Amino acid sequence: MKYNKYGNKKVEIDGIKFDSRKEANRYAELKLLERCRDITDLELQPRFLLQDKFKHNGKAIRKVEYVADFMYKRDGEIYVEDVKGMKTDVYSLKKKLFLKKYSEYIFKEI
């Protein structure tokens, strides 16, 4: 079993590799909810553009994206989830930008 830089064990379920046991367990829960039709349209690793790429003084600056762990629909609402053990400064900043730009989604931190 492999470990990442935060000491999490990589786990594989349904042929999908997850960065932590916590994320894999949440995936299993969401799959069960989808089978019971409590949620629909489960998506893994959805990407959200926070800042377009641009040029500054002739130098290309890359786009900034937030990649969540899961997205799904429940009761007509769209939920975006992130499973976190350790909240980095970069994550905290991207979360704030996401919440501002994508306020139509319900954001959950697990």
Side-chain angles (χ1 to χ4, degrees):
M1 208 171 274
K2 291 185 178 182
Y3 289 87
N4 71 14
K5 64 183 173 182
Y6 299 111
N8 294 330
K9 293 179 182 178
K10 298 228 180 220
V11 179
E12 186 173 322
I13 298 178
D14 294 341
I16 303 165
K17 293 179 182 170
F18 295 94
D19 287 335
S20 70
R21 186 176 312 277
K22 186 175 180 181
E23 186 180 343
N25 287 342
R26 183 59 181 158
Y27 169 75
E29 290 171 358
L30 291 171
K31 287 299 285 181
L32 183 59
L33 290 172
E34 190 175 44
R35 275 188 228 112
C36 296
R37 296 197 169 111
D38 285 344
I39 67 168
T40 60
D41 302 321
L42 177 61
E43 186 179 333
L44 280 63
Q45 304 289 302
R47 298 176 101 66
F48 299 91
L49 182 66
L50 300 176
Q51 170 68 56
D52 281 318
K53 65 181 179 177
F54 63 97
K55 288 201 181 244
H56 179 72
N57 293 334
K59 183 177 178 179
I61 307 296
R62 295 187 315 178
K63 66 183 175 183
V64 178
E65 289 184 314
Y66 167 65
V67 182
D69 291 321
F70 306 106
M71 184 167 68
Y72 56 88
K73 291 180 185 172
R74 179 182 230 163
D75 299 326
E77 300 282 340
I78 299 175
Y79 287 76
V80 174
E81 283 190 5
D82 214 315
V83 179
K84 284 290 169 223
M86 165 98 90
K87 296 176 188 170
T88 65
D89 290 342
V90 171
Y91 166 75
S92 295
L93 179 60
K94 286 184 176 185
K95 176 185 164 186
K96 289 176 189 176
L97 294 169
F98 172 85
L99 293 173
K100 172 73 173 161
K101 188 169 183 177
Y102 295 98
S103 60
E104 69 270 23
Y105 297 122
I106 297 172
F107 183 80
K108 290 179 71 177
E109 228 170 42
I110 305 295

